[in-house]
Amino acid sequence: MFFVPERREGASRWRAWLRRLRPRGARLFELLDRHAQLSGEALSAVVRLLGDLSDPDHRVREIEALEKRADAVAEEFGATLLHSWMPPYPAPLLLELVNELDNIVDLAEDAAQSVHLYHLTQAPPEALRLAELAVAASEKLRQALRALAQPDRTRSAAALCREVDELEAHADHVMRSAMARLFREETDACQLVKLKAVYELLEGLTDCCKDAAHRVESLVLKYGG
């Protein structure tokens, strides 16, 4: 029983050594980085949409185009992974990771379309703040993915994932404050329903970033050494 910690430490060193024998899968990490970039661009477009609702149709089309490009990257990632010999991490886990990234862009599109369809003419400051926090979380997530690609920076990847967690917790706080003010001050029932739905979508953006960050962190903890 007293040798279990030593065995675990040895197993961790063994996994790290095996990973260094594997090809680094440079193209896979390039595609992950590209997808993360598109996610950040889509979230930034949501911020711009909420900051200026005078031409929502144009901004929504921009986000829809980014979502299609992200889908293409995800498909290329899957095809590349299928033909990869000994990928840097187990293929099923990498597929789960790219799917989590895709959820970010999908939800950004949903949020933008909802803002447009609900004919919002002005976004409350809390809505803009939620979108800004999602942008910050996506930037940390992209940094974590870049660190994941380097064997000597996996601990940095884990630290960046924890920062994504902190941003998501901050978004939860903003969400609670927004909902409290909404139910306290909004007298138009229709407007209340619209804003509640938009708040929930926007808060979900940081949740998606957190989910993807947890995938990265689990790879680091299990395979990073």
Side-chain angles (χ1 to χ4, degrees):
M1 186 172 76
F2 297 103
F3 295 99
V4 170
E6 183 178 341
R7 287 176 181 171
R8 287 179 178 172
E9 183 180 350
S12 178
R13 287 198 298 265
W14 175 250
R15 285 196 300 267
W17 181 76
L18 284 177
R19 284 190 60 240
R20 282 167 172 78
L21 290 180
R22 291 181 173 184
R24 287 305 302 154
R27 182 56 182 163
L28 292 172
F29 285 114
E30 287 173 8
L31 291 168
L32 286 175
D33 183 70
R34 178 61 179 150
H35 200 299
Q37 178 187 354
L38 291 168
S39 299
E41 290 178 9
L43 294 172
S44 295
V46 172
V47 170
R48 292 193 295 273
L49 169 65
L50 294 171
D52 181 7
L53 287 167
S54 61
D55 186 15
D57 188 59
H58 168 74
R59 195 64 70 193
V60 169
R61 287 199 304 270
E62 176 189 357
I63 296 169
E64 288 172 345
L66 288 165
E67 192 275 336
K68 287 182 175 60
R69 290 164 61 189
D71 277 348
V73 172
E75 288 177 9
E76 184 179 352
F77 181 90
T80 303
L81 182 61
L82 182 65
H83 297 94
S84 294
W85 179 76
M86 290 186 69
Y89 295 96
L93 300 183
L94 289 173
L95 285 175
E96 290 173 356
L97 173 57
V98 79
N99 286 335
E100 296 288 3
L101 292 174
D102 218 39
N103 288 341
I104 299 170
V105 192
D106 289 344
L107 190 58
E109 182 184 36
D110 289 346
Q113 290 173 342
S114 295
V115 167
H116 187 20
L117 292 173
Y118 293 160
H119 302 291
L120 294 184
T121 57
Q122 185 175 3
E126 293 91 347
L128 187 60
R129 183 57 181 152
L130 286 170
E132 290 171 343
L133 287 168
V135 171
S138 73
E139 290 172 351
K140 294 294 183 183
L141 176 59
R142 188 181 183 191
Q143 293 173 28
L145 289 167
R146 288 180 168 180
L148 186 68
Q150 305 174 48
D152 58 344
R153 292 196 60 212
T154 53
R155 290 187 179 181
S156 297
L160 288 160
C161 290
R162 288 191 289 273
E163 292 185 44
V164 175
D165 265 355
E166 292 170 4
L167 288 164
E168 190 274 336
H170 189 178
D172 282 347
H173 176 74
V174 173
M175 176 68 168
R176 288 192 295 271
S177 297
M179 295 296 280
R181 188 163 81 89
L182 179 64
F183 280 92
R184 185 174 62 249
E185 299 179 3
E186 184 56 64
T187 57
D188 185 328
C190 183
Q191 186 73 357
L192 187 150
V193 171
K194 291 178 182 179
L195 287 174
K196 179 177 180 295
V198 170
Y199 282 146
E200 289 171 347
L201 288 168
L202 294 172
E203 193 273 336
L205 293 171
T206 50
D207 287 338
C208 287
C209 291
K210 181 185 74 171
D211 291 342
H214 283 179
R215 295 289 184 187
V216 174
E217 191 171 19
S218 68
L219 291 176
V220 171
L221 293 175
K222 192 169 183 180
Y223 302 100

